Amino acid sequence: PDHCWKYSGQEHATPDQERRKLDQLLTDSGKEKFNAVIVADASRWSRDNLKSKVGLEVLRKNNIRFFVGTMEYNLFNPEHTFILGMSAEIGEFQARTQALKSITNRINRARRNIPTCGKLPFGRTYSEADGWGIDPEKKKQIEWAARQYLDGVSIVHIAKTLGMNFSNLWKILNHRSGTTWEIRFNNTKLNIDETVNLTIPPLLDEETIARIKEQARANKTYTHGEIKNQYLLSRMIFCAECGYALMGPVSYTHLTLPTKR
């Protein structure tokens, strides 16, 4: 039937990957829309033995025939289901082995200060021949943004002027304008969670970066927003627990301390 082609096409067969077409096929297998399933080879059915067993059980309950190419596998025959199970187990082993090799290689490359994943940090360049470098135009943009921010200009206004996302600009100024680029490699299935720090050319000098971080801390406390009521030591005294500036009782003309008994 023509409608059966909606289940065809490529999908990840590896563990932990979403497979919408397969899920839809299993759901529809009990609606008498088709009576057989054909896969190109056993590995395309599944490389996750648990999901393979669950899926084959659904097909078996709904009396759906199962073919690998032109060869039919009887889902009620223990030998045939064993072969399909072994195929899924081998496929899962190969997929996990490749995933382990991939993440291990990327970690080792990162330890050699070679970019291994995602985009390069803003304003930096890399080539195997020349190594790390800096985009001069982008460096000028960040230097200008830093001067503007330290002069009290809103980070939102600065980002809009540069045509950048303000949260991305904030991340660059605070975390990616120095000499360190932190990359985290995380794969819970392989029990790997490792962070590698790469050394990269700086966009700003250390003094400017320190001033930006200090300004950021100040913006959260004593320089944040307009002061509605003026009082002595305004926004200069902080809570030891939460770190926020303490406020005075502005509704009173004076304070009366309790008499010590």
Side-chain angles (χ1 to χ4, degrees):
D2 291 338
H3 72 269
C4 288
W5 288 104
K6 68 181 181 181
Y7 310 115
S8 67
Q10 294 185 352
E11 283 188 313
H12 277 288
T14 51
D16 308 315
Q17 294 289 341
E18 184 179 36
R19 302 189 67 186
R20 294 183 180 181
K21 292 185 177 182
L22 175 61
D23 293 340
Q24 187 64 53
L25 181 145
L26 294 176
T27 299
D28 292 346
S29 66
K31 299 179 180 180
E32 298 183 354
K33 290 187 175 184
F34 52 83
N35 60 6
V37 169
I38 305 173
V39 295
D41 59 74
S43 67
R44 299 312 306 157
W45 164 249
S46 179
R47 294 175 185 170
D48 186 325
N49 197 22
L50 178 59
K51 289 185 178 180
S52 173
K53 286 180 178 293
V54 172
L56 293 177
E57 179 62 24
V58 171
L59 298 181
R60 183 163 44 243
K61 286 182 178 180
N62 293 318
N63 292 313
I64 303 297
R65 299 169 69 185
F66 188 86
F67 290 80
V68 176
T70 59
M71 180 177 179
E72 181 174 7
Y73 284 77
N74 182 355
L75 300 184
F76 294 92
N77 186 319
E79 291 184 5
H80 289 194
T81 55
F82 171 76
I83 293 172
L84 292 173
M86 286 299 298
S87 175
E89 195 69 47
I90 293 171
E92 182 174 348
F93 166 74
Q94 291 176 335
R96 290 187 181 276
T97 300
Q98 286 300 114
L100 178 60
K101 288 181 179 179
S102 175
I103 194 170
T104 300
N105 288 338
R106 286 188 286 124
I107 291 174
N108 289 334
R109 283 173 59 86
R111 288 172 178 168
R112 301 201 305 271
N113 212 48
I114 301 173
T116 60
C117 61
K119 295 181 180 180
L120 293 177
F122 184 87
R124 278 57 162 222
T125 61
Y126 183 85
S127 67
E128 292 186 2
D130 302 325
W132 286 98
I134 288 182
D135 184 321
E137 289 301 319
K138 292 182 178 179
K139 177 178 173 61
K140 289 180 181 179
Q141 289 180 351
I142 296 304
E143 289 174 339
W144 178 84
R147 290 194 299 270
Q148 293 294 304
Y149 179 71
L150 293 174
D151 286 341
V153 181
S154 166
I155 188 73
V156 176
H157 177 74
I158 299 171
K160 187 177 296 185
T161 303
L162 292 174
M164 298 175 62
N165 179 281
F166 83 91
S167 61
N168 186 41
L169 177 59
W170 178 249
K171 183 185 296 184
I172 294 170
L173 289 175
N174 278 270
H175 305 292
R176 293 188 177 177
S177 58
T179 58
T180 301
W181 179 30
E182 182 180 282
I183 302 180
R184 182 184 179 188
F185 300 90
N186 181 261
N187 187 315
T188 55
K189 294 296 182 180
L190 298 174
N191 195 31
I192 293 176
D193 188 358
E194 184 170 342
T195 299
V196 180
N197 291 322
L198 280 71
T199 301
I200 58 178
L203 299 178
L204 300 172
D205 59 79
E206 293 185 2
E207 181 182 353
T208 301
I209 295 173
R211 291 176 60 197
I212 290 174
K213 292 182 179 296
E214 177 59 31
Q215 182 68 32
R217 286 192 292 268
N219 288 346
K220 292 181 180 179
T221 52
Y222 58 86
T223 65
H224 179 68
E226 297 293 333
I227 300 177
K228 184 177 180 180
N229 299 285
Q230 298 287 344
Y231 56 91
L232 187 64
L233 299 180
S234 174
R235 293 178 175 176
M236 300 301 293
I237 302 176
F238 305 98
C239 174
E241 293 295 325
C242 67
Y244 284 91
L246 299 180
M247 296 181 294
V250 297
S251 60
Y252 299 99
T253 58
H254 64 277
L255 296 177
T256 302
L257 299 178
T259 303
K260 192 173 182 180
R261 296 180 179 178

